[in-house]
């Protein structure tokens, strides 16, 4: 869970990072930035800030802002009814982003979240810089991380149903709970 | 048709506008910018420059760069097989964009392409500034225009099949022909 004050502070940090990355967003969008702690209550370690620009029943466009050294936990987008699952292309706008996918262990420049090594099973490292992009097929597991500079990226995808995403860490609850 | 030299010059202008709009693209992407004259051979009047960032069988992400006072002709995205047609959200990054859609005639700040008034039937004007966006449903007719400052925008959509787009102007050929 996230306290309202913490949510507001993270929204403001994310909005500033997004602006510094050269993406113009409206005041209304700033207030809609979703602050996601995955139910783990330690936002700065495992979390992400998400601005949804487009959300229809066919496509989704989000801007993801990651605080310095924040990690988005290992997850995948499962099939839902007739939908084979979300297909997603992430394109980096600012900062370097450390992605981890299936493949041999090449983890070197990123880090596993301390004490949670078993909940990050993928160790094949792909480092993207601004202007680079990577596509994940439906069901394809991945996790990613920003380092000291933080990062801003676009997520372009088929329809998103975030609440149905699946995570390696059984403690994760995707629907965020905000408290006073 | 477009001469190779004209194509190259338009690519370079578009790449510069995209960079100035704060969108970082790779050298490889610059060389892939599509210069579209709609077969009318007067690019600066009716045309558009298109960088395709993502193209899968589910979604498409493009950056559209429009030269000063360039107009993209009236068109719509028809159904194709089981696909009801392309659903498209355009989000403006730089410059103002003058959109024309179904509705009462409010055309005031944009202009009809001279001598082609019958090929631009929509006159309901919507002016978008950077950070604004508009969504077109499948089959929904639209045309748009940049003014003196030019414009850069994103097009986020379901799968794009540009060659099958339909145009009010029967002289239009969407597949571009490049000559030496």
């Amino acid at each position: 869970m996230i306290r309202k004050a913490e949510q507001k502070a993270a929204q403001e940090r994310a909005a500033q990072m997004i602006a510094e990355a050269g993406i113009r967003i409206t005041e209304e969008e700033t207030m809609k930035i979703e602050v996601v702690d995955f139910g783990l209550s330690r936002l700065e370690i495992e979390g992400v800030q998400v601005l949804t620009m487009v959300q229809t029943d066919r496509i989704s466009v989000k801007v993801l802002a990651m605080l310095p050294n924040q990690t988005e936990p290992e997850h995948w987008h499962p099939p839902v009814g007739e939908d084979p699952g979300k297909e997603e292309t992430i394109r980096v706008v600012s900062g370097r982003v450390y992605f981890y996918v299936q493949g041999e262990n090449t983890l070197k420049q990123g880090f596993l979240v301390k004490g949670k090594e078993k909940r990050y099973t993928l160790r094949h490292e792909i480092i993207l810089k601004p202007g680079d992009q990577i596509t994940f097929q439906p069901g394809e597991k991945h996790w990613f991380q920003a380092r000291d500079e933080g990062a801003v990226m676009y997520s372009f995808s088929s329809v998103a149903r975030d609440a149905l995403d699946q995570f390696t860490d059984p403690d994760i609850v995707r629907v965020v709970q905000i408290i006073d």
Side-chain angles (χ1 to χ4, degrees), chain A:
Chain A
M1 59 191 70
I2 303 177
R3 283 172 298 108
K4 267 195 181 153
E6 189 187 11
Q7 179 196 33
K8 182 115 175 49
Q11 276 180 334
E12 282 168 8
R13 281 179 78 181
Q16 191 180 337
M17 292 174 69
I18 291 168
E20 284 169 5
I23 301 174
R24 192 170 317 197
I25 65 173
T26 64
E27 186 59 35
E28 192 190 340
E29 286 174 325
T30 295
M31 293 187 303
K32 285 194 307 188
I33 292 173
E34 197 190 355
V35 177
V36 183
D37 75 341
F38 300 99
L40 301 172
S41 303
R42 44 188 219 152
L43 178 70
E44 304 225 347
I45 297 169
E46 293 174 290
V48 66
Q49 293 63 233
V50 183
L51 166 62
T52 299
M53 280 187 171
V54 181
Q55 175 80 298
T56 75
D57 58 2
R58 299 178 73 187
I59 70 163
S60 175
V61 177
K62 298 167 187 277
V63 179
L64 311 181
M66 296 187 82
L67 306 175
N69 300 299
Q70 199 178 32
T71 301
E72 166 140 352
E74 186 172 290
H75 67 285
W76 64 98
H77 309 290
V80 179
E82 289 184 2
D83 181 349
K86 185 170 95 164
E87 172 206 278
E88 180 178 31
T89 295
I90 294 182
R91 184 175 175 107
V92 179
V93 180
S94 73
R96 279 175 193 263
V97 185
Y98 299 72
F99 288 91
Y100 298 91
V101 298
Q102 208 77 49
E104 64 167 327
N105 185 341
T106 56
L107 190 151
K108 200 168 167 188
Q109 297 195 51
F111 62 90
L112 296 171
V113 174
K114 212 176 157 184
K116 302 201 61 176
E117 293 76 4
K118 293 197 174 154
R119 294 171 180 191
Y120 290 85
T121 65
L122 305 170
R123 310 283 167 91
H124 189 70
E125 188 173 75
I126 298 175
I127 304 173
L128 298 192
K129 59 183 191 312
D132 291 342
Q133 64 187 39
I134 186 170
T135 298
F136 299 107
Q137 296 306 314
E140 189 179 346
K141 271 187 201 172
H142 55 286
W143 62 277
F144 48 94
Q145 186 170 73
R147 298 304 310 269
D148 292 355
E149 60 198 344
V152 173
M153 59 205 109
Y154 276 104
S155 163
F156 305 123
S157 74
S158 59
V159 56
R161 299 180 177 92
D162 300 338
L164 302 178
D165 284 349
Q166 293 184 350
F167 293 85
T168 303
D169 181 350
D171 293 339
I172 284 178
V173 180
R174 178 59 182 83
V175 179
V176 176
Q177 198 185 340
I178 309 289
I179 57 168
D180 269 326

